[in-house]
Amino acid sequence: MERLVAGLQSKGNLFVLVWVIVSTLITVVMAERAFGSGEGEPVVVGMGESLWTIAQTHNELGRDVRELVQAIQVTNHLQGSLLYPGQKLIVPAQW
């Protein structure tokens, strides 16, 4: 019985290890696609910057800034508007 429990624990640990490795690889691939694919411009949030100021700065086509703010939120999977200095974002290329 103890061997069975030890074997199951060992298999459980192996499953967790494989899951962590696969999750990490997926995250790295997704980040590489976002930052290196030309789908947008990488931006590092500076002190005092907001989604609005970033959108205004990168709104080269003169579109509605609110639409670019929303596009930045969607592209970066942001739930709200809170940003932190040093945070990396992607500004969608079509703006």
Side-chain angles (χ1 to χ4, degrees):
M1 181 70 160
E2 290 178 22
R3 282 185 165 182
L4 178 61
V5 171
L8 290 176
Q9 287 176 340
S10 177
K11 288 179 184 176
N13 290 339
L14 179 61
F15 173 77
V16 170
L17 178 63
V18 169
W19 182 81
V20 167
I21 291 171
V22 169
S23 297
T24 303
L25 289 174
I26 289 171
T27 302
V28 168
V29 168
M30 303 264 309
E32 177 61 30
R33 284 184 180 173
F35 283 93
S37 66
E39 294 176 8
E41 180 180 349
V43 173
V44 178
V45 177
M47 184 67 76
E49 284 190 303
S50 65
L51 283 173
W52 188 266
T53 59
I54 291 170
Q56 283 181 317
T57 302
H58 293 87
N59 189 10
E60 297 169 359
L61 299 178
R63 294 185 180 170
D64 188 341
V65 176
R66 294 172 293 188
E67 291 178 5
L68 181 51
V69 166
Q70 185 177 18
I72 294 170
Q73 287 176 311
V74 169
T75 300
N76 294 280
H77 309 287
L78 301 175
Q79 298 298 318
S81 60
L82 185 61
L83 301 178
Y84 300 97
Q87 184 175 357
K88 295 176 183 173
L89 300 174
I90 296 293
V91 176
Q94 56 268 46
W95 295 89

